[in-house]
Amino acid sequence: MESSRLCCFATLILMSFCIDLSKSGNANVGVILDLDTPLGKMCKACMTMAVEDRNSNRDHNTTVMIVPHFRDSRGDVVAAASAANNLVKNARVMAILGPQKSTQADLVMDIGDRERVPVISPATRPSSSQVKAIAALLKAFGWREVVIVYENTKFGSGLLPHLTAKLQENNVVVSNMSCISPYADDDQVLDELYALRGMRTRVLIVHMPPDLASRFFQMAKEVGMMSEGYAWLISDPLTSFLSSVDSVAIEAMQGVLGVKAYVPRSEKFRRFAKRLHAENPDMDRTELNVFGLWAYDSMTALGQAIERVKGNSSLARVLRNFASKGLSGDFSITNGELQPSAFEVVNVIGKVDNTVGFWTEKYGISKDVRLDGDEAVYSTEKENLRGILWPGQTSNVPKGWEIPASGKKLRVGVPVRKGFNEYIKVERNQETNAVEATGFCIDVFEEVIRSLPYPVPFEYIPLETTDAWSVEYYDELVYQIYLDVSKRCLVMIFFR
């Protein structure tokens, strides 16, 4: 299990400090990874290859040699902090890459801030550009109300401002945001799930690392929330790490929809993947993914930035807006965040995630990836996606909401009176004893209810009176609702 050990070099959070090269012209760079994990090993191998390529002048014209200093955080917060202190005081590094884990990154960045050493943290914020792809999917399926579930760390909350702003822009209501601690036990996770199950919203966006997501989805299945009627969307980097999620969790996640950064399987990619395993025969055969490529590209970008500044400028300023051609394609950092050029939309079916479409800034949703072209017609049509199997093994698109069994109804007061039945008429059904209201006022009210983007169950409450025409009668009813003294109704319909 990969824990929250995310080597997702998707975001570069840097302090604006100048660098200092050693007298030998070498640039000491610290790297903190969880080296006992397959992903940590892959990222170390990719960064080592980037250093070798740069220092051998294989792909770069260089005058500064990068000297990497790797440290193993062993998945522990204290070990990560100790490694950072060691790199700063003993190795005298000019920058630190890592660690992988969001809980470790918070402390390491505090140390970097104190010691005036730039920290390139992969775990504090995900790429914000994916929120546009998520919003496009919501629009494609006509979902107007969602719940967001996220890990209670800087990594988890880092996406929220971007996601909520984009959803608000698209008139999507966030009915609830549920945060779960990375240290939450099973009972605490279950408590959150039971609370979510009691809500009417059935579209849930999940933003958390693989270890927490694995437990979360298994328990979601236990409480019946991976059944027909639910729609689950997962964000990157979780989607890119589905291969590291255990088979039991994958079984629970059937029907989940996710977005992940797209990497073209070019000839350069295939050559690098072959070389990676040839030069690292003892490394676990972890599938090379976008984060391994970003690890290579990030080390390369850091080397290029050091070459540019050479102690005369801010390393952070150079890296904050940086663009180059990398192994992952167009390697572009904007305002400190690595921006993927496209996202892949996948559907968890069986033991794998199946590609059902793509999203790009220029073209929107499409069945095949489109990066270039003259005609740019942005699409959010669900027909531009391949077939999706939703939770409950159904092809029927979830409508996005259900009325919970325990859901309360809106109580609507209607006056019982004689005359003007074409405007409002109240009767009680003799067979069912249900209150039935008809007339122009009722038609207007029910049309408004139907136009809402979410369901509002309601019931009519007859208000008996001998003088339904007097102003005092209506004034008293409105005042009672204002004071919440009368529990009979919350809304009143009347005609004058």
Side-chain angles (χ1 to χ4, degrees), residues 170-238:
N170 286 15
N171 296 318
V172 175
V173 176
V174 179
S175 60
N176 189 66
M177 290 196 288
S178 173
C179 63
I180 298 178
S181 168
Y183 308 111
D185 59 30
D186 287 356
D187 288 339
Q188 291 171 318
V189 176
L190 282 172
D191 286 344
E192 287 292 329
L193 284 166
Y194 283 126
L196 294 174
R197 192 179 66 175
M199 299 177 184
R200 65 168 176 254
T201 308
R202 291 292 185 264
V203 181
L204 299 98
I205 301 172
V206 177
H207 178 60
M208 57 180 63
D211 66 328
L212 185 56
S214 177
R215 291 198 296 131
F216 179 83
F217 278 104
Q218 288 180 63
M219 284 184 274
K221 184 178 181 181
E222 280 182 31
V223 301
M225 294 179 67
M226 300 305 298
S227 56
E228 185 172 359
Y230 282 92
W232 293 88
L233 280 75
I234 59 175
S235 62
D236 223 11
L238 172 57

Side-chain angles (χ1 to χ4, degrees), residues 284-301:
D284 294 338
R285 300 293 292 184
T286 303
E287 180 184 357
L288 176 63
N289 61 23
V290 67
F291 299 107
L293 300 180
W294 279 346
Y296 181 98
D297 290 344
S298 294
M299 181 64 84
T300 301

Side-chain angles (χ1 to χ4, degrees), residues 13-31:
I13 310 298
L14 296 141
M15 282 75 68
S16 297
F17 303 137
C18 295
I19 64 171
D20 182 28
L21 298 176
S22 65
K23 293 181 180 179
S24 63
N26 293 337
N28 293 318
V29 175
V31 183

Side-chain angles (χ1 to χ4, degrees), residues 40-58:
K41 294 174 184 177
M42 181 180 69
C43 288
K44 179 184 178 182
C46 290
M47 283 191 255
T48 300
M49 292 167 66
V51 171
E52 291 173 353
D53 289 349
R54 175 179 175 76
N55 291 349
S56 66
N57 202 26
R58 188 177 298 179

